[in-house]
Amino acid sequence: MRYRVAVVGAAGRMGRRLVANIMADEKLVLAGAVDVPDSPFLGKDAGSLAGCGDAGVPVCGDLAEVLASGVDAVIDFATAGVAEAARQVIASGAAMVIGTTALTAADRAALRSLAEQGGRIVAANNMSVGVNLLFKLVKDAAAKLGPEYNVEIVEMHHNRKLDAPSGTAVRLGEVVCEARHWDYGEVVANGRGGNVGRRPEREIGMHALRGGDVVGDHTVIFAADGERLELSHRAGSRDMFAKGALLAVEFLMHSGAGLYDMQDVLNLK
Ligand code: NAD
């Protein structure tokens, strides 16, 4: 049995890597490729766009049309419209994997409500296996090392990235806050500047670097008097996000209703 998987945001940087990885996976079939209705890539073959040869799947501007052809799962890495897409996907009975970052509180509420109505959804700001293990290591370090170990988070991404700090950096900060029972909104200092005074113990410095074609680097620093622990992850290509998204599809094919994250998929909870 090969699962039929469609990609939303298929003409984008991540969308193309998702198409390529689905085409290379013998358990999956590329069932559709969706992008905005005014995309210059509409009607072009999704496999050719991804540099993998003809997939026989043209980029389409209408998700409903793709869902009507019979789809087991949709992977959405579009930069907009996620909640509306999720409503359509869950109503069709398909499962949904969401990699889009910068979801609003309203988007998250809509996803929770869809899961309560029987939807199977995985949503994660970072689908890489290594980054999800980093979340666990940071949680353990933040809990074991006292507040005298000052936490600073540094991320770097390519110069086309729209949001800052990255969703992954924010999640790393949240993980530290959960372990130390801190309030994220109260303790995060984004990119210090000027006469900021002595660093309070109860603070997380957050620093977003931008430049070139960097796929995604994240470092969490625990610095005390006399020693420093640094936990780092560097992404070398977008394929490891795509591969994580495919693991999430497989997970949902054997799961009941719920709103899950990659910690669930990788059994790290
Ligand atoms: P991109 O700009 O290259 O591609 C986005 C694509 O989405 C474009 O082709 C755009 O036309 C399309 N799109 C926008 N609105 C749409 C809509 N309503 N319906 C259908 N298609 C729509 O961006 P990218 O670098 O591929 O990143 C896409 C998203 O994935 C971003 O939110 C990024 O932060 C996120 N991302 C997540 C992970 C992860 O592991 N979760 C990893 C990398 C990137």
Side-chain angles (χ1 to χ4, degrees), residues 113-182:
S113 146
L114 287 167
E116 278 159 18
Q117 293 159 40
R120 292 166 295 151
I121 304 170
V122 171
N125 279 336
N126 195 310
M127 300 251 161
S128 121
V129 173
V131 163
N132 280 282
L133 184 58
L134 177 66
F135 289 144
K136 171 128 182 57
L137 296 173
V138 166
K139 177 180 167 195
D140 291 350
K144 291 268 181 227
L145 301 172
E148 70 276 18
Y149 284 79
N150 301 150
V151 180
E152 297 280 309
I153 298 174
V154 185
E155 59 102 329
M156 181 159 187
H157 284 84
H158 54 86
N159 55 22
R160 273 99 56 214
K161 186 164 176 63
L162 301 179
D163 50 323
S166 71
T168 301
V170 171
R171 184 66 204 133
L172 286 165
E174 289 171 352
V175 165
V176 172
C177 288
E178 284 160 21
R180 290 193 170 172
H181 309 291
W182 290 355

Side-chain angles (χ1 to χ4, degrees), residues 12-267:
R13 285 177 291 255
M14 272 308 302
R16 293 177 196 214
R17 295 320 304 154
L18 287 159
V19 165
N21 278 274
I22 291 168
M23 287 175 72
D25 191 321
E26 56 191 24
K27 299 186 295 301
L28 306 176
V29 177
L30 182 68
V34 180
D35 212 285
V36 285
D38 60 350
S39 166
F41 302 106
L42 228 61
K44 299 239 168 21
D45 186 79
S48 304
L49 265 186
C52 303
D54 198 34
V57 177
V59 176
C60 167
D62 185 2
L63 175 60
E65 192 182 305
V66 167
L67 291 171
S69 72
V71 169
D72 295 305
V74 171
I75 305 178
D76 191 328
F77 275 68
T79 37
V82 174
E84 181 43 39
R87 273 182 210 106
Q88 291 185 58
V89 171
I90 299 308
S92 80
M96 182 142 188
V97 173
I98 300 170
T100 309
T101 59
L103 296 182
T104 62
D107 289 335
R108 293 214 156 266
L111 298 182
R112 272 195 302 276
S113 146
L114 287 167
E116 278 159 18
Q117 293 159 40
R120 292 166 295 151
I121 304 170
V122 171
N125 279 336
N126 195 310
M127 300 251 161
S128 121
V129 173
V131 163
N132 280 282
L133 184 58
L134 177 66
F135 289 144
K136 171 128 182 57
L137 296 173
V138 166
K139 177 180 167 195
D140 291 350
K144 291 268 181 227
L145 301 172
E148 70 276 18
Y149 284 79
N150 301 150
V151 180
E152 297 280 309
I153 298 174
V154 185
E155 59 102 329
M156 181 159 187
H157 284 84
H158 54 86
N159 55 22
R160 273 99 56 214
K161 186 164 176 63
L162 301 179
D163 50 323
S166 71
T168 301
V170 171
R171 184 66 204 133
L172 286 165
E174 289 171 352
V175 165
V176 172
C177 288
E178 284 160 21
R180 290 193 170 172
H181 309 291
W182 290 355
D183 183 310
Y184 182 92
E186 272 173 22
V187 301
V188 167
N190 279 300
R192 296 184 194 86
N195 185 14
V196 295
R198 274 180 69 106
R199 185 194 197 285
E201 209 172 60
R202 210 183 165 86
E203 184 169 274
I204 299 175
M206 186 71 84
H207 312 278
L209 318 184
R210 293 288 174 269
D213 62 354
V214 177
V215 176
D217 294 354
H218 292 89
T219 298
V220 181
I221 302 165
F222 294 86
D225 289 351
E227 70 171 350
R228 189 163 84 231
L229 171 67
E230 298 189 3
L231 299 172
S232 285
H233 177 272
R234 297 193 201 294
S237 94
R238 291 186 169 80
D239 275 17
M240 43 99 198
F241 303 127
K243 287 184 199 306
L246 299 197
L247 288 178
V249 166
E250 210 175 307
F251 169 85
L252 287 177
M253 294 300 103
H254 304 104
S255 301
L259 175 58
Y260 304 98
D261 60 22
M262 284 303 283
Q263 303 284 303
D264 296 306
V265 172
L266 300 170
N267 201 17

